[in-house]
Amino acid sequence: MATDILTKPIIGGTASRTRIYNNFIDGEWVEASTGETFENRNPADTRDVVGIFQKSGKADVDAAVAAAKRAFAKWRLVPAPRRAEIVFRAAEMLMERKEEYSRDMTREMGKILKETRGDVQEAIDASYYNAGEGRRLFGPTVPSELPNKFAMAVRQPIGVCGMITPWNFPMAIPSWKLLPAIVCGNTCVIKPAQDTPLSTFNLVRTLVDAGVPKGVINIVTGFGSSVGTPMTEHPDVKAISLTGSSEVGRIVGQTAAKSFKHCSLELGGKNPMIVLDDANLDLAIEGGLWGGFGTTGQRCTATSRIIVQKGVYAEFIERYVERAKGLKIGNGLDETVDMGPAVNENQLKGDLNYVDIAKAEGAKLKCGGHRLDSGDYQYGYFIEPTVFVDVDPKMRIAQEEVFGPVVSIIPCNDLEDAIQIANNIEYGLSSALYTRDVNRAFAAMRDLEAGITYINAPTIGAEVHLPFGGVKATGNGHREGGIGAIDFYTEWKAVYVDYSDKLQRAQIDRPE
Ligand code: NAD
């Protein structure tokens, strides 16, 4: 089996199911130059070691970039439809492996199986979409201003692309980067988040099984400063794509700028959901629960602020809080569980810290706010679904990204007031409006400062063939998904062919 080639079980001891995963460089699974490793533990039960991964350093990044550079010389010349066929095959294989990979993902990051199946499905959808791109990669062919002259623009690959990913969508996000990059003819070095490397291994293993040649995709695992920084600084890395916090985005963006690298930053969010008096309240409550507590609130697009018009404010709170209290918390491998743990101890501490901050600021805690650590919860990083009400939009709890199951409910007078509250923030990723009034829906679609707006749906649920990303501190203007990714992973080359057999000067010669 492929896994036996790629990984090796620990010899002896109790950890017979624990595997050591090596870096993947130039088609070989190799140990890190540092000789060090780190553990990946299940956040729902920290006694469960999911795997042991390489704690890599600069030398490993250098080796991976060198391999990717060598592979680029050949890969860029493989016709795009042929490159895309490999990605199509990978989609079919991912379908077969979906259940196994979903379970691995729940074990390594905690979100419930329904959601990890969705994460793998997103990689499958992205594979089919990008496989189709291999036969498009459209560029404009336009008339020249001169006679007997042909003008067009073609897309060309950039070269070696460095990718740095977060832990909350551990297969979907790597797929958004790797698949368009390789279909466009680039080669890649990816550093997955230290909490969730296994899902990236599963994706890359599948791509390799489907036929991606050696050196085209390389994995180097480890931490931000020891792997992410050398990758961002490397002169042979021509493009960097980071999905992560705005704090890390600032660092990566500044470093990449020094060597004029293409740089795509997909960063944090503090996403508002507006509920107007005329909304279908049942739908809004359902959406607010899914958006607020799905993935334990650890989505960049999580519904973290619910802005409710005064006519339905009291009823919304009463019903929403009741439902939040009823959510079943536990190990995501149990199909009856609604919400899994926080991804790690630091994240849990951060969530609890924000609960204290909100209380100190005067927000009213309506439910939750505590760690769950008795009985079955004792070995995991569990926290209750938490709802604050009467939140002032200026409070830190309403301004800063918590990245946990903590929802702030804010009252508003009307749509205008709601949009002002929604926009008066550093971030601009996703947004939502619940109303039955089409006029107000269109006004909100125009005025909400966000890369994504949902009408009568929560702030989560992006599809792979539309542009994904945000405005303001959420990014630097690039988009993933759909054509946005193709734009990032290609360079334009304008091509002119003059078949007049004489010198024709643009802007100077004007034939009658
Ligand atoms: P993070 O910023 O802590 O880490 C992201 C990645 O960057 C990790 O792989 C990490 O090891 C690496 N890194 C850390 N320091 C680095 C450095 N100095 N140089 C290079 N790389 C470095 O984020 P996280 O905790 O993994 O993920 C949560 C964050 O990601 C949240 O802010 C969330 O909003 C954001 N996110 C954004 C999107 C989006 O598309 N906009 C999607 C998912 C998550």
Side-chain angles (χ1 to χ4, degrees):
M1 251 176 58
T3 13
D4 295 331
I5 301 164
L6 309 180
T7 61
K8 58 182 182 192
I10 291 177
I11 296 157
T14 53
S16 58
R17 279 176 55 237
T18 307
R19 285 172 177 267
I20 298 176
Y21 294 83
N22 290 340
N23 286 330
F24 185 56
I25 298 176
D26 211 12
E28 302 289 332
W29 297 86
V30 292
E31 288 177 7
S33 59
T34 58
E36 293 178 62
T37 55
F38 65 95
E39 284 179 345
N40 176 10
R41 283 180 184 263
N42 180 345
D45 181 348
T46 53
R47 293 167 301 178
D48 176 22
V49 182
V50 178
I52 292 172
F53 290 84
Q54 303 300 310
K55 196 172 174 184
S56 313
K58 181 176 180 305
D60 305 301
V61 173
D62 289 347
V65 173
K69 192 178 173 186
R70 283 193 301 277
F72 180 66
K74 278 193 187 162
W75 183 244
R76 74 183 186 92
L77 300 177
V78 175
R82 296 281 91 81
R83 297 194 292 248
E85 278 166 16
I86 298 175
V87 172
F88 189 92
R89 267 201 301 279
E92 309 272 275
M93 295 167 94
L94 282 171
M95 296 272 280
E96 286 163 21
R97 300 173 183 187
K98 180 171 171 181
E99 194 56 25
E100 177 196 342
Y101 289 174
S102 306
R103 289 181 174 275
D104 279 352
M105 195 186 296
T106 293
R107 265 180 80 207
E108 78 169 343
M109 75 76 67
K111 66 184 172 185
I112 60 174
L113 266 178
K114 206 184 291 172
E115 293 190 54
T116 53
R117 289 182 189 125
D119 199 306
V120 178
Q121 185 60 45
E122 205 165 314
I124 295 168
D125 296 345
S127 305
Y128 284 127
Y129 177 83
N130 284 290
E133 267 310 328
R135 288 192 180 267
R136 288 188 293 266
L137 292 181
F138 293 145
T141 302
V142 295
S144 164
E145 64 189 48
L146 290 162
N148 297 323
K149 192 176 169 193
F150 184 85
M152 64 179 172
V154 293
R155 293 180 184 273
Q156 296 202 310
I158 306 169
V160 179
C161 300
M163 294 154 182
I164 304 173
T165 54
W167 43 263
N168 61 341
F169 280 83
M171 186 175 286
I173 290 177
S175 80
W176 289 0
K177 299 182 192 302
L178 291 170
L179 303 175
I182 63 170
V183 167
C184 291
N186 303 287
T187 55
C188 312
V189 179
I190 185 164
K191 186 204 96 61
Q194 50 272 25
D195 283 305
T196 54
L198 179 55
S199 296
T200 301
F201 274 74
N202 285 341
L203 175 65
V204 172
R205 194 179 82 182
T206 304
L207 284 160
V208 170
D209 291 348
V212 169
K214 71 173 193 161
V216 171
I217 298 178
N218 304 272
I219 309 178
V220 182
T221 53
F223 291 75
S225 52
S226 43
V227 179
T229 304
M231 190 191 287
T232 313
E233 288 172 343
H234 202 296
D236 287 336
V237 172
K238 302 299 178 195
I240 280 280
S241 175
L242 165 83
T243 301
S245 58
S246 297
E247 189 189 350
V248 171
R250 248 178 221 112
I251 300 169
V252 167
Q254 283 173 10
T255 310
K258 285 183 200 157
S259 50
F260 305 110
K261 285 180 179 30
H262 293 215
C263 180
S264 166
L265 304 172
E266 293 293 341
L267 310 173
K270 186 76 185 174
N271 311 289
M273 174 178 130
I274 299 170
V275 182
L276 297 183
D277 283 350
D278 72 339
N280 175 339
L281 225 52
D282 294 340
L283 194 66
I285 289 164
E286 208 65 52
L289 289 163
W290 175 230
F293 302 116
T295 320
T296 319
Q298 302 168 130
R299 290 194 186 213
C300 50
T301 50
T303 305
S304 50
R305 299 181 289 154
I306 305 185
I307 303 166
V308 187
Q309 199 172 358
K310 284 188 172 154
V312 290
Y313 186 70
E315 184 185 350
F316 182 90
I317 289 175
E318 193 190 326
R319 292 176 57 193
Y320 185 78
V321 168
E322 209 42 49
R323 291 285 306 279
K325 283 182 186 165
L327 293 174
K328 184 173 173 188
I329 318 304
N331 189 325
L333 290 172
D334 173 348
E335 300 266 10
T336 66
V337 160
D338 297 307
M339 191 179 95
V343 72
N344 58 34
E345 194 173 2
N346 260 349
Q347 187 60 54
L348 177 70
K349 280 185 181 157
D351 296 349
L352 294 168
N353 188 35
Y354 269 109
V355 170
D356 290 342
I357 290 170
K359 282 190 204 158
E361 286 178 310
K364 284 191 202 143
L365 180 65
K366 269 301 228 192
C367 70
H370 303 105
R371 179 177 186 169
L372 297 166
D373 56 6
S374 61
D376 287 348
Y377 297 125
Q378 64 182 306
Y379 299 108
Y381 304 120
F382 294 98
I383 173 173
E384 295 169 327
T386 301
V387 181
F388 282 99
V389 302
D390 299 349
V391 173
D392 183 307
K394 291 195 206 71
M395 289 176 180
R396 285 182 63 192
I397 194 67
Q399 289 285 329
E400 298 174 18
E401 186 182 47
V402 177
F403 224 56
V406 182
V407 172
S408 297
I409 302 187
I410 303 170
C412 73
N413 298 317
D414 51 24
L415 178 63
E416 207 179 317
D417 187 27
I419 288 182
Q420 205 176 3
I421 295 168
N423 288 347
N424 193 8
I425 190 137
E426 190 188 6
Y427 299 106
L429 182 50
S430 189
S431 54
L433 171 69
Y434 281 79
T435 183
R436 289 187 169 107
D437 182 335
V438 69
N439 295 352
R440 291 198 281 183
F442 270 85
M445 280 155 54
R446 181 194 60 206
D447 293 338
L448 283 166
E449 294 172 1
I452 307 166
T453 294
Y454 294 88
I455 304 297
N456 292 326
T459 56
I460 65 178
E463 300 179 29
V464 301
H465 49 302
L466 268 79
F468 182 91
V471 301
K472 304 198 277 191
T474 294
N476 61 345
H478 292 285
R479 291 291 184 273
E480 300 203 297
I483 198 71
I486 302 300
D487 286 338
F488 181 72
Y489 288 109
T490 51
E491 290 269 24
W492 282 117
K493 176 178 273 191
V495 179
Y496 302 93
V497 182
D498 190 323
Y499 54 100
S500 68
D501 230 11
K502 62 183 182 199
L503 174 66
Q504 298 197 89
R505 296 165 299 180
Q507 293 89 39
I508 294 170
D509 297 326
R510 297 181 65 84
E512 291 311 309

